[in-house]
Amino acid sequence: MKLAIVGGQRRVATPGLTGECPVCGETTIAKCGEKNIWHWAHKAKRICDRWWENETQWHRDWKGRFPVEWQELVHCAENGEKHIADIKTEQDWVIEFQHSFINPDERRSREAFYQNLVW
């Protein structure tokens, strides 16, 4: 993930920082190496959003075209299910960027969950 909670603020991964996952609240660590794009990862092996995928530079670049306040916002359904939207506008429209194959059942599941979704 690009953003985690550090000191009550959403922050990008920076060497040496620890943060909190915006979905589950567990500890995240900044992964800031030379091979992969800088990102946050759960300290303990954990995937709290079943729609999570490794993020490519293509994906990061598309998210970066929008205000950071709209990026990676947690969307919570009435039943408590939570997912991180790539982009969530002030009008509650969700934009998901998908460059690789996505199973049609998962696509329909995301569309039903977000309701106001644009691919």
Side-chain angles (χ1 to χ4, degrees), residues 10-23:
R10 291 170 7 110
R11 302 261 317 262
V12 296
T14 304
L17 286 183
T18 59
E20 180 181 301
C21 175
V23 176

Side-chain angles (χ1 to χ4, degrees), residues 5 7 10 16 31 50 69-71 80 95 114:
I5 309 301
R10 291 170 7 110
K31 298 283 192 158
R50 63 184 165 87
E69 297 82 19
W70 293 7
Q71 296 176 33
I95 302 172
Y114 289 122

Side-chain angles (χ1 to χ4, degrees), residues 79-98:
N79 66 1
E81 182 179 355
K82 296 178 184 179
H83 295 285
I84 299 175
D86 287 338
I87 300 295
K88 186 174 179 184
T89 71
E90 294 168 339
Q91 295 80 26
D92 288 330
W93 279 93
V94 170
I95 302 172
E96 285 287 288
F97 302 110
Q98 189 70 32

Side-chain angles (χ1 to χ4, degrees), residues 52-56 59:
W52 175 86
E53 298 177 45
N54 283 326
E55 185 171 74
T56 64
H59 200 124

Side-chain angles (χ1 to χ4, degrees), residues 62-115:
W62 273 104
K63 287 194 303 191
R65 294 173 184 249
F66 295 85
V68 72
E69 297 82 19
W70 293 7
Q71 296 176 33
E72 294 189 356
L73 293 179
V74 176
H75 184 86
C76 187
E78 290 181 15
N79 66 1
E81 182 179 355
K82 296 178 184 179
H83 295 285
I84 299 175
D86 287 338
I87 300 295
K88 186 174 179 184
T89 71
E90 294 168 339
Q91 295 80 26
D92 288 330
W93 279 93
V94 170
I95 302 172
E96 285 287 288
F97 302 110
Q98 189 70 32
H99 189 54
S100 58
F101 173 79
I102 184 170
N103 180 293
D105 290 334
E106 182 174 332
R107 180 184 47 80
R108 285 189 284 275
S109 178
R110 291 185 191 195
E111 289 170 351
F113 176 78
Y114 289 122
Q115 296 181 356

